[in-house]
Amino acid sequence: MSITRRSNILDPFDGFPFNQSLFSFPRPSSSLSFPSNTCAFATARIDWKETPEAHVFKADLPGIKKEEVKVEVEEGNVLQISGERTRENEDKTDTWHRIECSSGKFLRRFRLPENAKMDQIKAAMENGVLTITVPKEEVKKPEIKSIDISG
């Protein structure tokens, strides 16, 4: 395997006998121009844990302000988290050497269990982490009634 240098970008696929009809990925270019609808951020990473009191969601959203995020509840116990990270405006005098920070819209949906208290959901954003707390209804223990035995 050979790694060839092309204008500050390593191309690990250079030299491989790929059939272009099978592998039609976009190849790196020296201009580093990406389409404005690049949506690599579409898979916002979200953790969901259940505690005895609530369902807790934590979303890593670095660089996004709380005004750029929407948390919504839909019919059927569906929690929806959406937003958009906009790319930095490119100045024609700037020379980009690497673009790794993703941008674009994201949308995640979660069907919540029946015991979720949909009217008491709370959300908070701190240090690029969105925390959504969905309280749970208390599980009612079946009432046991003793019956006296006569005789």
PDB file of all heavy atoms in Angstrom, residues 4-5 13-14 19 22 34 38-39 57 60 67 71 79 88 91-92 115 126-127 133 140 146-147:
ATOM      1  N   THR A   4       0.178   8.531  -0.781  1.00  0.00           N
ATOM      2  CA  THR A   4       0.698   9.610  -1.608  1.00  0.00           C
ATOM      3  C   THR A   4       0.245  10.941  -1.042  1.00  0.00           C
ATOM      4  O   THR A   4      -0.887  11.072  -0.571  1.00  0.00           O
ATOM      5  CB  THR A   4       0.167   9.476  -3.051  1.00  0.00           C
ATOM      6  OG1 THR A   4       0.369   8.142  -3.476  1.00  0.00           O
ATOM      7  CG2 THR A   4       0.877  10.424  -3.969  1.00  0.00           C
ATOM      8  N   ARG A   5       1.116  11.924  -1.084  1.00  0.00           N
ATOM      9  CA  ARG A   5       0.774  13.254  -0.595  1.00  0.00           C
ATOM     10  C   ARG A   5       0.316  14.114  -1.763  1.00  0.00           C
ATOM     11  O   ARG A   5       0.982  14.216  -2.770  1.00  0.00           O
ATOM     12  CB  ARG A   5       1.982  13.897   0.079  1.00  0.00           C
ATOM     13  CG  ARG A   5       1.679  15.224   0.699  1.00  0.00           C
ATOM     14  CD  ARG A   5       2.869  15.779   1.459  1.00  0.00           C
ATOM     15  NE  ARG A   5       3.120  15.082   2.690  1.00  0.00           N
ATOM     16  CZ  ARG A   5       2.484  15.307   3.836  1.00  0.00           C
ATOM     17  NH1 ARG A   5       1.536  16.202   3.878  1.00  0.00           N
ATOM     18  NH2 ARG A   5       2.782  14.653   4.929  1.00  0.00           N
ATOM     19  N   PHE A  13      -6.235   5.861  -0.319  1.00  0.00           N
ATOM     20  CA  PHE A  13      -6.791   4.998  -1.354  1.00  0.00           C
ATOM     21  C   PHE A  13      -6.015   5.077  -2.667  1.00  0.00           C
ATOM     22  O   PHE A  13      -6.297   4.347  -3.596  1.00  0.00           O
ATOM     23  CB  PHE A  13      -8.260   5.345  -1.604  1.00  0.00           C
ATOM     24  CG  PHE A  13      -9.102   5.184  -0.378  1.00  0.00           C
ATOM     25  CD1 PHE A  13      -9.644   6.281   0.256  1.00  0.00           C
ATOM     26  CD2 PHE A  13      -9.329   3.931   0.166  1.00  0.00           C
ATOM     27  CE1 PHE A  13     -10.403   6.134   1.401  1.00  0.00           C
ATOM     28  CE2 PHE A  13     -10.087   3.777   1.311  1.00  0.00           C
ATOM     29  CZ  PHE A  13     -10.613   4.879   1.929  1.00  0.00           C
ATOM     30  N   ASP A  14      -5.046   5.972  -2.720  1.00  0.00           N
ATOM     31  CA  ASP A  14      -4.274   6.116  -3.943  1.00  0.00           C
ATOM     32  C   ASP A  14      -3.472   4.838  -4.178  1.00  0.00           C
ATOM     33  O   ASP A  14      -2.814   4.323  -3.278  1.00  0.00           O
ATOM     34  CB  ASP A  14      -3.340   7.320  -3.839  1.00  0.00           C
ATOM     35  CG  ASP A  14      -2.791   7.735  -5.184  1.00  0.00           C
ATOM     36  OD1 ASP A  14      -3.132   7.127  -6.210  1.00  0.00           O
ATOM     37  OD2 ASP A  14      -2.013   8.700  -5.194  1.00  0.00           O
ATOM     38  N   ASN A  19     -12.638  -0.172  -8.546  1.00  0.00           N
ATOM     39  CA  ASN A  19     -13.506   0.045  -9.693  1.00  0.00           C
ATOM     40  C   ASN A  19     -14.378   1.251  -9.348  1.00  0.00           C
ATOM     41  O   ASN A  19     -15.180   1.196  -8.436  1.00  0.00           O
ATOM     42  CB  ASN A  19     -14.363  -1.206  -9.924  1.00  0.00           C
ATOM     43  CG  ASN A  19     -15.309  -1.049 -11.082  1.00  0.00           C
ATOM     44  OD1 ASN A  19     -15.566   0.052 -11.532  1.00  0.00           O
ATOM     45  ND2 ASN A  19     -15.828  -2.168 -11.550  1.00  0.00           N
ATOM     46  N   LEU A  22     -18.063   0.907  -8.580  1.00  0.00           N
ATOM     47  CA  LEU A  22     -18.454   0.318  -7.299  1.00  0.00           C
ATOM     48  C   LEU A  22     -18.207   1.268  -6.140  1.00  0.00           C
ATOM     49  O   LEU A  22     -18.921   1.270  -5.160  1.00  0.00           O
ATOM     50  CB  LEU A  22     -17.667  -0.982  -7.056  1.00  0.00           C
ATOM     51  CG  LEU A  22     -17.957  -2.128  -8.014  1.00  0.00           C
ATOM     52  CD1 LEU A  22     -17.041  -3.306  -7.718  1.00  0.00           C
ATOM     53  CD2 LEU A  22     -19.405  -2.553  -7.892  1.00  0.00           C
ATOM     54  N   PHE A  34     -16.822  22.094   0.325  1.00  0.00           N
ATOM     55  CA  PHE A  34     -17.865  21.121   0.591  1.00  0.00           C
ATOM     56  C   PHE A  34     -19.197  21.739   0.231  1.00  0.00           C
ATOM     57  O   PHE A  34     -19.378  22.946   0.362  1.00  0.00           O
ATOM     58  CB  PHE A  34     -17.872  20.721   2.068  1.00  0.00           C
ATOM     59  CG  PHE A  34     -16.641  19.991   2.475  1.00  0.00           C
ATOM     60  CD1 PHE A  34     -15.596  20.658   3.098  1.00  0.00           C
ATOM     61  CD2 PHE A  34     -16.506  18.640   2.229  1.00  0.00           C
ATOM     62  CE1 PHE A  34     -14.462  19.979   3.469  1.00  0.00           C
ATOM     63  CE2 PHE A  34     -15.369  17.959   2.604  1.00  0.00           C
ATOM     64  CZ  PHE A  34     -14.332  18.632   3.225  1.00  0.00           C
ATOM     65  N   THR A  38     -23.896  19.880   3.466  1.00  0.00           N
ATOM     66  CA  THR A  38     -23.193  18.793   4.129  1.00  0.00           C
ATOM     67  C   THR A  38     -23.843  18.567   5.483  1.00  0.00           C
ATOM     68  O   THR A  38     -24.037  19.499   6.244  1.00  0.00           O
ATOM     69  CB  THR A  38     -21.705  19.140   4.314  1.00  0.00           C
ATOM     70  OG1 THR A  38     -21.149  19.342   3.032  1.00  0.00           O
ATOM     71  CG2 THR A  38     -20.966  18.024   5.027  1.00  0.00           C
ATOM     72  N   CYS A  39     -24.172  17.326   5.784  1.00  0.00           N
ATOM     73  CA  CYS A  39     -24.964  17.046   6.984  1.00  0.00           C
ATOM     74  C   CYS A  39     -24.313  15.970   7.829  1.00  0.00           C
ATOM     75  O   CYS A  39     -24.952  15.017   8.226  1.00  0.00           O
ATOM     76  CB  CYS A  39     -26.379  16.657   6.571  1.00  0.00           C
ATOM     77  SG  CYS A  39     -27.553  16.816   7.899  1.00  0.00           S
ATOM     78  N   PHE A  57     -32.030  11.943  29.194  1.00  0.00           N
ATOM     79  CA  PHE A  57     -31.344  11.992  27.904  1.00  0.00           C
ATOM     80  C   PHE A  57     -30.231  13.017  28.001  1.00  0.00           C
ATOM     81  O   PHE A  57     -30.452  14.122  28.513  1.00  0.00           O
ATOM     82  CB  PHE A  57     -32.315  12.415  26.798  1.00  0.00           C
ATOM     83  CG  PHE A  57     -33.426  11.448  26.563  1.00  0.00           C
ATOM     84  CD1 PHE A  57     -34.564  11.466  27.355  1.00  0.00           C
ATOM     85  CD2 PHE A  57     -33.340  10.511  25.545  1.00  0.00           C
ATOM     86  CE1 PHE A  57     -35.598  10.573  27.140  1.00  0.00           C
ATOM     87  CE2 PHE A  57     -34.378   9.611  25.326  1.00  0.00           C
ATOM     88  CZ  PHE A  57     -35.499   9.644  26.128  1.00  0.00           C
ATOM     89  N   ASP A  60     -24.691  15.374  23.352  1.00  0.00           N
ATOM     90  CA  ASP A  60     -23.482  16.166  23.164  1.00  0.00           C
ATOM     91  C   ASP A  60     -23.707  17.095  21.978  1.00  0.00           C
ATOM     92  O   ASP A  60     -23.827  16.644  20.837  1.00  0.00           O
ATOM     93  CB  ASP A  60     -22.280  15.264  22.878  1.00  0.00           C
ATOM     94  CG  ASP A  60     -21.786  14.551  24.117  1.00  0.00           C
ATOM     95  OD1 ASP A  60     -22.021  15.066  25.227  1.00  0.00           O
ATOM     96  OD2 ASP A  60     -21.158  13.499  23.981  1.00  0.00           O
ATOM     97  N   GLU A  67     -30.592  28.352  22.006  1.00  0.00           N
ATOM     98  CA  GLU A  67     -31.575  28.936  21.095  1.00  0.00           C
ATOM     99  C   GLU A  67     -31.606  28.205  19.754  1.00  0.00           C
ATOM    100  O   GLU A  67     -32.550  28.345  18.982  1.00  0.00           O
ATOM    101  CB  GLU A  67     -31.277  30.420  20.848  1.00  0.00           C
ATOM    102  CG  GLU A  67     -31.393  31.296  22.084  1.00  0.00           C
ATOM    103  CD  GLU A  67     -30.151  31.274  22.984  1.00  0.00           C
ATOM    104  OE1 GLU A  67     -29.085  30.791  22.549  1.00  0.00           O
ATOM    105  OE2 GLU A  67     -30.264  31.726  24.124  1.00  0.00           O
ATOM    106  N   VAL A  71     -36.640  21.117  21.567  1.00  0.00           N
ATOM    107  CA  VAL A  71     -37.074  19.883  22.204  1.00  0.00           C
ATOM    108  C   VAL A  71     -38.592  19.910  22.158  1.00  0.00           C
ATOM    109  O   VAL A  71     -39.219  20.843  22.665  1.00  0.00           O
ATOM    110  CB  VAL A  71     -36.570  19.778  23.659  1.00  0.00           C
ATOM    111  CG1 VAL A  71     -37.080  18.510  24.315  1.00  0.00           C
ATOM    112  CG2 VAL A  71     -35.049  19.830  23.700  1.00  0.00           C
ATOM    113  N   LEU A  79     -40.545  11.907  21.858  1.00  0.00           N
ATOM    114  CA  LEU A  79     -39.680  13.036  22.183  1.00  0.00           C
ATOM    115  C   LEU A  79     -38.827  13.328  20.955  1.00  0.00           C
ATOM    116  O   LEU A  79     -38.206  12.417  20.402  1.00  0.00           O
ATOM    117  CB  LEU A  79     -38.784  12.690  23.380  1.00  0.00           C
ATOM    118  CG  LEU A  79     -37.749  13.730  23.765  1.00  0.00           C
ATOM    119  CD1 LEU A  79     -38.422  14.957  24.353  1.00  0.00           C
ATOM    120  CD2 LEU A  79     -36.773  13.137  24.780  1.00  0.00           C
ATOM    121  N   GLU A  88     -19.004  28.115   9.883  1.00  0.00           N
ATOM    122  CA  GLU A  88     -18.389  29.426   9.958  1.00  0.00           C
ATOM    123  C   GLU A  88     -18.328  30.023   8.555  1.00  0.00           C
ATOM    124  O   GLU A  88     -18.050  29.316   7.588  1.00  0.00           O
ATOM    125  CB  GLU A  88     -16.969  29.260  10.514  1.00  0.00           C
ATOM    126  CG  GLU A  88     -16.245  30.538  10.769  1.00  0.00           C
ATOM    127  CD  GLU A  88     -14.881  30.285  11.376  1.00  0.00           C
ATOM    128  OE1 GLU A  88     -14.724  29.295  12.105  1.00  0.00           O
ATOM    129  OE2 GLU A  88     -13.981  31.087  11.102  1.00  0.00           O
ATOM    130  N   ASP A  91     -14.055  33.217   4.660  1.00  0.00           N
ATOM    131  CA  ASP A  91     -13.466  34.435   4.129  1.00  0.00           C
ATOM    132  C   ASP A  91     -12.544  34.014   2.999  1.00  0.00           C
ATOM    133  O   ASP A  91     -11.732  33.104   3.157  1.00  0.00           O
ATOM    134  CB  ASP A  91     -12.691  35.155   5.239  1.00  0.00           C
ATOM    135  CG  ASP A  91     -12.246  36.550   4.831  1.00  0.00           C
ATOM    136  OD1 ASP A  91     -12.397  36.903   3.639  1.00  0.00           O
ATOM    137  OD2 ASP A  91     -11.750  37.276   5.706  1.00  0.00           O
ATOM    138  N   LYS A  92     -12.675  34.646   1.860  1.00  0.00           N
ATOM    139  CA  LYS A  92     -11.900  34.237   0.683  1.00  0.00           C
ATOM    140  C   LYS A  92     -10.396  34.354   0.906  1.00  0.00           C
ATOM    141  O   LYS A  92      -9.621  33.737   0.203  1.00  0.00           O
ATOM    142  CB  LYS A  92     -12.308  35.069  -0.549  1.00  0.00           C
ATOM    143  CG  LYS A  92     -13.752  34.857  -0.951  1.00  0.00           C
ATOM    144  CD  LYS A  92     -14.022  33.424  -1.328  1.00  0.00           C
ATOM    145  CE  LYS A  92     -15.477  33.220  -1.694  1.00  0.00           C
ATOM    146  NZ  LYS A  92     -15.868  31.863  -1.790  1.00  0.00           N
ATOM    147  N   ASN A 115     -45.153   5.004  30.926  1.00  0.00           N
ATOM    148  CA  ASN A 115     -45.091   5.580  32.276  1.00  0.00           C
ATOM    149  C   ASN A 115     -44.430   6.963  32.300  1.00  0.00           C
ATOM    150  O   ASN A 115     -44.216   7.525  33.365  1.00  0.00           O
ATOM    151  CB  ASN A 115     -44.366   4.634  33.231  1.00  0.00           C
ATOM    152  CG  ASN A 115     -42.897   4.464  32.898  1.00  0.00           C
ATOM    153  OD1 ASN A 115     -42.427   4.852  31.832  1.00  0.00           O
ATOM    154  ND2 ASN A 115     -42.167   3.868  33.823  1.00  0.00           N
ATOM    155  N   GLU A 126     -25.947  22.928  29.356  1.00  0.00           N
ATOM    156  CA  GLU A 126     -24.788  23.428  30.076  1.00  0.00           C
ATOM    157  C   GLU A 126     -23.520  22.857  29.451  1.00  0.00           C
ATOM    158  O   GLU A 126     -23.405  21.644  29.272  1.00  0.00           O
ATOM    159  CB  GLU A 126     -24.880  23.021  31.554  1.00  0.00           C
ATOM    160  CG  GLU A 126     -23.790  23.624  32.401  1.00  0.00           C
ATOM    161  CD  GLU A 126     -23.956  23.308  33.881  1.00  0.00           C
ATOM    162  OE1 GLU A 126     -25.055  22.919  34.303  1.00  0.00           O
ATOM    163  OE2 GLU A 126     -22.964  23.433  34.599  1.00  0.00           O
ATOM    164  N   ASN A 127     -22.595  23.750  29.116  1.00  0.00           N
ATOM    165  CA  ASN A 127     -21.304  23.360  28.545  1.00  0.00           C
ATOM    166  C   ASN A 127     -21.444  22.448  27.323  1.00  0.00           C
ATOM    167  O   ASN A 127     -20.716  21.478  27.173  1.00  0.00           O
ATOM    168  CB  ASN A 127     -20.421  22.689  29.598  1.00  0.00           C
ATOM    169  CG  ASN A 127     -20.065  23.625  30.730  1.00  0.00           C
ATOM    170  OD1 ASN A 127     -19.921  24.825  30.526  1.00  0.00           O
ATOM    171  ND2 ASN A 127     -19.943  23.090  31.921  1.00  0.00           N
ATOM    172  N   THR A 133     -34.903  15.639  31.137  1.00  0.00           N
ATOM    173  CA  THR A 133     -35.387  14.743  32.186  1.00  0.00           C
ATOM    174  C   THR A 133     -36.881  14.538  32.009  1.00  0.00           C
ATOM    175  O   THR A 133     -37.651  15.502  31.988  1.00  0.00           O
ATOM    176  CB  THR A 133     -35.089  15.324  33.580  1.00  0.00           C
ATOM    177  OG1 THR A 133     -33.691  15.607  33.663  1.00  0.00           O
ATOM    178  CG2 THR A 133     -35.472  14.349  34.677  1.00  0.00           C
ATOM    179  N   LYS A 140     -47.917   1.783  40.601  1.00  0.00           N
ATOM    180  CA  LYS A 140     -48.844   1.491  41.683  1.00  0.00           C
ATOM    181  C   LYS A 140     -48.766   0.012  42.007  1.00  0.00           C
ATOM    182  O   LYS A 140     -48.915  -0.838  41.128  1.00  0.00           O
ATOM    183  CB  LYS A 140     -50.277   1.866  41.289  1.00  0.00           C
ATOM    184  CG  LYS A 140     -50.452   3.347  41.090  1.00  0.00           C
ATOM    185  CD  LYS A 140     -51.883   3.664  40.726  1.00  0.00           C
ATOM    186  CE  LYS A 140     -52.049   5.144  40.511  1.00  0.00           C
ATOM    187  NZ  LYS A 140     -53.402   5.492  40.099  1.00  0.00           N
ATOM    188  N   SER A 146     -56.944  -8.494  52.676  1.00  0.00           N
ATOM    189  CA  SER A 146     -57.099  -9.754  53.365  1.00  0.00           C
ATOM    190  C   SER A 146     -58.571 -10.066  53.572  1.00  0.00           C
ATOM    191  O   SER A 146     -59.372  -9.187  53.883  1.00  0.00           O
ATOM    192  CB  SER A 146     -56.441  -9.706  54.752  1.00  0.00           C
ATOM    193  OG  SER A 146     -55.062  -9.849  54.635  1.00  0.00           O
ATOM    194  N   ILE A 147     -58.912 -11.300  53.393  1.00  0.00           N
ATOM    195  CA  ILE A 147     -60.283 -11.764  53.577  1.00  0.00           C
ATOM    196  C   ILE A 147     -60.286 -12.678  54.793  1.00  0.00           C
ATOM    197  O   ILE A 147     -59.503 -13.627  54.882  1.00  0.00           O
ATOM    198  CB  ILE A 147     -60.778 -12.553  52.341  1.00  0.00           C
ATOM    199  CG1 ILE A 147     -60.564 -11.749  51.045  1.00  0.00           C
ATOM    200  CG2 ILE A 147     -62.216 -13.008  52.534  1.00  0.00           C
ATOM    201  CD1 ILE A 147     -61.417 -10.516  50.950  1.00  0.00           C
TER     202      ILE A 147
END
